[in-house]
Amino acid sequence: MESKAVQRLQFPAMVYSDKGGRTVPSGSLNVSCGFMEHKKLRVFVSVPSTKIQQRKLPLKIACSNNKVPASTLKSESFKTPLSEELILKSKSKEVEPYLSGRCIYLVGMMGSGKTTVGKILSQVLCYSFFDSDTLIEEEVDGTSVADIFKHYGETFFRDKETEVLRKLSMTHRHVISTGGGAVVRPINWKYMHKGVSIWLDVPVEALAQRITAVGTNSRPLLHSEVGDAYTKTFMRLSSLFEERSQAYANANAKVSLENIAAKLGQKDVSDLTPTAIAIEALEQILGFLKSEDGYC
C-alpha cells in the first residue's frame, strides 16, 4: 500500500550542492526505507566516493503518536571542542533507535528555514527529503504556488496540501518541510502526528528581514499590505503568526531560535548556523520520543 502511495506522489530525486555551489548528482542507489520498497527510486549522493573515504563521513543519501503540547526541553550546550558536524552526527546516532523510521514534519512560518534544516536532517539520518509545496506544484502540472493561489484560490491549494500530507503519512523515513499554513487544518495534524512534528520558532523580525532580502514574489499571502517592503512584510507576518501560533503549538516539540542564541551567547538569531538549529531539532526530537516511551 505504501509503495503505491509513493508512486502516485511521483517523489523527485534530490540533488545536493557541493561546497562550490555546484549541483552534483554523483551516483545513484536502490534503497529500501522502512516498510516501503523503493526499487525504482533513484537516489543521488552529494559527495564523490573518494572524498567520503578521505573524510571518513557516512554516505550522505537523500533517500527520501501521540499528541502532546509542543515544549522546549533543556538541551545540552553546543560549546564543545568538537565541530558542529560531529555533534550533529553523534546526536543523530542517539536519535535513530527511538525514531524507528518515523517521518519528521517541520512546521513553522514562511522563511523559518524548514527546507534548509530539513535537508540537513535528511542527510544525517539517511532519510528522504520532500517539500510539500513542491509536491503540490507537481500535482498541478508544475504550476508555482503563487500561480495556484492566483488562478485556483487558497482553498484549492489547501485541499491539495491535505492530500499530499495524507499520502506522506503512509510512508516512512522522510523529512517533510510543510507550508506555513499547513497547520491550520486539524486533519493535517492527524496525518503529521503519525510521525514526529517539530515547530521551528523564529522571531517575526528575523523572518521579515529574511523574506524582504530575497523578495516576496513567491509568497502569495504577502501581497496585500502597503508600505515599504520590510514594513508590509513584518505587518503581514505578525498577523499570520497571531492567527497560527496556537496551531503551531500542536507540534510534538518546539525549536526556539531565541533559546539557541541565548544558550550560545549570540545576540542575533540570524547568526545561528543551520547545523546548530538541526542539532537542537534532534535534541528536541529525542526528548519527545523518550518522554513518549516513558524514559523521562
Side-chain angles (χ1 to χ4, degrees):
M1 180 177 181
E2 291 178 353
S3 60
K4 292 181 180 178
V6 175
Q7 290 169 5
R8 289 198 301 271
L9 274 174
Q10 297 182 332
F11 292 149
M14 298 302 300
V15 181
Y16 293 101
S17 300
D18 63 12
K19 290 187 176 180
R22 299 165 296 182
T23 55
V24 186
S26 57
S28 63
L29 298 171
N30 289 327
V31 299
S32 177
C33 296
F35 302 104
M36 180 174 50
E37 276 192 69
H38 291 282
K39 293 181 179 179
K40 295 182 180 180
L41 177 64
R42 289 180 61 79
V43 181
F44 296 104
V45 296
S46 59
V47 183
S49 58
T50 53
K51 292 187 178 180
I52 294 173
Q53 295 171 356
Q54 291 170 3
R55 297 174 63 192
K56 297 182 180 180
L57 292 178
L59 190 63
K60 293 186 177 180
I61 302 177
C63 308
S64 310
N65 296 295
N66 294 337
K67 183 175 180 181
V68 300
S71 60
T72 300
L73 303 167
K74 182 178 180 181
S75 58
E76 60 198 48
S77 171
F78 305 142
K79 294 181 179 179
T80 79
L82 298 174
S83 69
E84 286 183 341
E85 187 175 357
L86 292 178
I87 297 171
L88 181 71
K89 179 181 176 182
S90 174
K91 185 58 62 179
S92 71
K93 296 299 182 185
E94 191 177 355
V95 169
E96 283 178 309
Y98 294 95
L99 197 53
S100 300
R102 284 158 65 172
C103 290
I104 296 172
Y105 296 86
L106 298 176
V107 303
M109 293 283 287
M110 63 181 78
S112 60
K114 299 185 294 290
T115 296
T116 301
V117 174
K119 287 180 178 179
I120 293 173
L121 291 175
S122 70
Q123 288 181 1
V124 75
L125 292 170
C126 191
Y127 270 35
S128 308
F129 172 79
F130 295 112
D131 184 308
S132 65
D133 282 355
T134 300
L135 294 176
I136 294 167
E137 290 175 340
E138 293 177 356
E139 288 280 324
V140 192
D141 300 322
T143 307
S144 70
V145 170
D147 283 339
I148 293 174
F149 269 74
K150 180 179 179 180
H151 298 298
Y152 301 100
E154 184 174 359
T155 299
F156 176 89
F157 175 84
R158 297 300 173 199
D159 289 343
K160 289 291 184 182
E161 184 173 58
T162 296
E163 180 62 13
V164 163
L165 291 174
R166 184 189 69 80
K167 292 176 181 178
L168 287 168
S169 73
M170 296 186 287
T171 67
H172 293 78
R173 302 188 67 83
H174 297 324
V175 176
I176 299 109
S177 169
T178 66
V183 298
V184 299
R185 286 190 173 183
I187 186 65
N188 292 346
W189 283 110
K190 173 186 175 181
Y191 300 136
M192 290 191 287
H193 277 143
K194 291 184 179 181
V196 180
S197 53
I198 304 297
W199 172 19
L200 297 188
D201 184 19
V202 183
V204 174
E205 295 86 350
L207 293 175
Q209 291 173 357
R210 292 179 184 180
I211 294 173
T212 302
V214 299
T216 62
N217 290 338
S218 64
R219 311 285 186 176
L221 295 181
L222 296 182
H223 296 164
S224 59
E225 302 293 334
V226 295
D228 66 272
Y230 173 81
T231 300
K232 69 180 184 180
T233 300
F234 175 79
M235 295 299 291
R236 182 56 177 148
L237 288 174
S238 297
S239 177
L240 286 172
F241 181 76
E242 186 174 351
E243 294 172 8
R244 299 172 178 174
S245 58
Q246 290 186 340
Y248 288 134
N250 285 319
N252 297 131
K254 180 173 77 172
V255 172
S256 168
L257 268 64
E258 287 185 325
N259 287 353
I260 302 173
K263 181 165 50 184
L264 297 177
Q266 297 182 359
K267 295 182 179 180
D268 191 343
V269 299
S270 298
D271 293 331
L272 296 173
T273 66
T275 301
I277 299 169
I279 291 170
E280 179 71 4
L282 288 174
E283 186 71 28
Q284 299 302 324
I285 291 170
L286 180 62
F288 164 70
L289 293 174
K290 282 186 173 181
S291 66
E292 185 182 51
D293 290 342
Y295 287 99
C296 58

